[in-house]
Amino acid sequence: MHISGLKTVLLLGSAALISLPQAAAAQTVPGTTTPASPPAAADTPEQQSAEIPANEPGGLTDIVVTATKRGQAQNVQDVPFAVTAFGSDQLDDQHVRSIAGLSYDIPNVQLTELGTSPGYANFSIRGLGINSSIPSIDPTVGTFIDGIYLGIGGGVVLDTFDLAGVEVLRGPQGLLFGRNVTGGAVVIRSTVPSNVLHVDFKAALSTGLEKNISGVISGPLIKDKLQVKLGVYYDKDNGWFTNLYNNNHNFGKGETIIIRPALRFTPTETIEMIARYEHGHQFGDGARPTNFGLFGRDTFKISVNEEGLSRNNWNMASLETNFDVGLGNGKITNIAGYRNFQGDLITDIDSQPVTNYHFYTRTEQNQFSNELRYAGTFGAIDVTTGLYYFGQEINYLEKRLLAGGALTIAGGGVQNQHSYGAFASFDVHVNDQITLNVGGRYSKEDKKVRIANIVAGGCNFDARTCNYTFFSKKDWNGFTPRLGVQYKPTGNTQLYAFWAKGFRSGGYNLRSINTAVPPGPFDQETQNSFEIGLKQEFGRIARVNLAGFYNKIDNVQREIVTPVAGVGALQVVANAANVTIKGVDAEVVFMPARGLTITGQLGYTDGNYDKIFADLNNDQVINAKDYALVLPRLSKWTYGGSIAYSLPVGTGTVDARAGANYRSLAYYNELNNGILPAATMVDGNLSYSKGPYKFSVFGTNLLNQVTYGISGPLPFIPGGTFSALNKGRVVGAEFQYKF
């Protein structure tokens, strides 16, 4: 069945669910003492913001997460896996403009954009990540917005606002989230229309004359029945960088507009429907590339004769239906979502004031997904089960301008895919202290492609036509079980352990330039993961969470890149090796006195190749040199923390926060000749709030550290690289009005 037909069937099915018999079932948020209000009166527990440690007389508050898909929020101390949650207030205090703003705050996590294409996510968790902007290469870390999986990395790390919370789940999440979450998942939740008038207005000015303004208004149209929200976001960045080629001090400029309406309908106390829509547009310069062959590694210097272009447009719509049922005092949820994305890119890959390698791409993607699930309780057994469908079409075109502009090559491809899944999870409460976690998910996927090699005459980039020479179709399936145990000797202590399997999709390489190697299919990679953990609270004074993990991944997909003069780079994707990754991560929150909160995080990850099937370093032989290579995008150490203090002053409050977080060096690519440098991110915030008003001054990357999301070698000059820079030191001020 085509995607359009499935949309109609599943959306009608979502609406038809309302006709089933219901019974009222008031829920209580675990770890709190007050029951959540019925849907008609307030936001449901499923949609509540993740609370953060707050300076209250009672000490630390509960942190709640929704990623267990139980139909209600759960205390993070009760879930049997490693997760870090950020609430809306914490995101405000850290002035997070995109998910990348959290990249240094979580142990063993990198939430970075690739850099070749602004806004393109290349997330890595516990040493599992990718280093590619090829849209047909599936991620190891899944991104979910309001329950919708994003099929490609394009447009993920652009500006965001109106957030209720962000949950970063470390470790495999295949049971509940399906494929392509072997490293973990990033769960993003926007706010839900409220039953009382709510306004949140912000205006900020920061380094680079970046101007940012956003507003969200939410409230009832019909009291207790129909609520509405409208959010609008606008950001104009005049550019942080200088292009020495033309002395342009406004390089890196960009403009972003997002419009986000939502409607919430609660006809009875047991039925809730939430319709969401988002339109976004981003336009600006291309990547900000420096070349180590010209300027060295520790510099923000740029000199390019092509400042490039990044233009991203997207539309996203979803319909979420929740209703309570008498069966198991449970809840049925259906989430249907559609997203289309268009991205145009021009980048000066040679990173020089000459035309050796200029890069043009156009990506078009359409996706539709539907998840129908049930969560309920039968005696001592909690049940979560569901069905899932995902379909998408990707159309990718690429052009390379080479040899001083004398040579043009182009190619690309189209990929259609469908994924189906069925899952069931059971929490069996043996007694008050011991719970067994048992579950499994079966997934089936098919992909069909037509591909034109990137050669002279492969495609007409401007006319959007191609001479396709490769046609293929393949399907895969996989079973991802999970078996675990939780032990709670006291109300403040949880010990847990689990084993889980996962897989990352097989597929094709739409950027096929090596005509001697077919663009696929390469097979899926499979994972066996073991984790043990401790979650401990010391009254309301301190909280400590520890986890140790051991992962074995077979048939790891690797994108092997070889710089070649005349074509820029050859990229081949293959199942290259079996690997082992192990490590620990830890988080602590401590409130020694009223108003004072101290946090800390520590992560250690180690990985190695167990068996290698492909020549990783391109020396025509697999030997000890290949086995000595370090896994790409794996930082051995991450650590840091923050101190926050809140002090009443007159009728207002002064809040101060300072944080410092370190990430060690990582290698960008398989050959280990591209380096992502070690860096320490220092940030701070000082604010004064009185009633609905708040004024803040803030700074990020206060040490002005040089970082980049990509560092690939180039063949044009000795030591040459394409290294796409992130911003250095940014300071700013923000005004907020919120009630």
Side-chain angles (χ1 to χ4, degrees), residues 384-408:
T384 303
T385 185
L387 300 171
Y388 180 76
Y389 168 79
F390 173 85
Q392 77 172 348
E393 179 179 278
I394 301 170
N395 193 328
Y396 177 73
L397 285 171
E398 177 179 319
K399 180 176 76 172
R400 302 183 181 189
L401 193 62
L402 306 162
L407 175 62
T408 298

Side-chain angles (χ1 to χ4, degrees), residues 338-382:
Y338 171 78
R339 182 180 191 246
N340 69 60
F341 171 83
Q342 291 186 350
D344 292 284
L345 172 73
I346 303 174
T347 296
D348 193 328
I349 296 289
D350 60 65
S351 311
Q352 301 175 84
V354 294
T355 306
N356 277 328
Y357 182 5
H358 292 175
F359 180 73
Y360 303 71
T361 68
R362 180 174 178 83
T363 303
E364 298 180 12
Q365 181 244 10
N366 288 277
Q367 69 169 70
F368 174 76
S369 64
N370 194 93
E371 181 174 79
L372 174 64
R373 68 176 185 263
Y374 164 82
T377 299
F378 299 87
I381 302 176
D382 297 330

Side-chain angles (χ1 to χ4, degrees), residues 67-78:
T68 55
K69 297 189 177 183
R70 287 292 306 154
Q72 61 180 9
Q74 287 188 276
N75 188 341
V76 72
Q77 297 304 107
D78 293 331

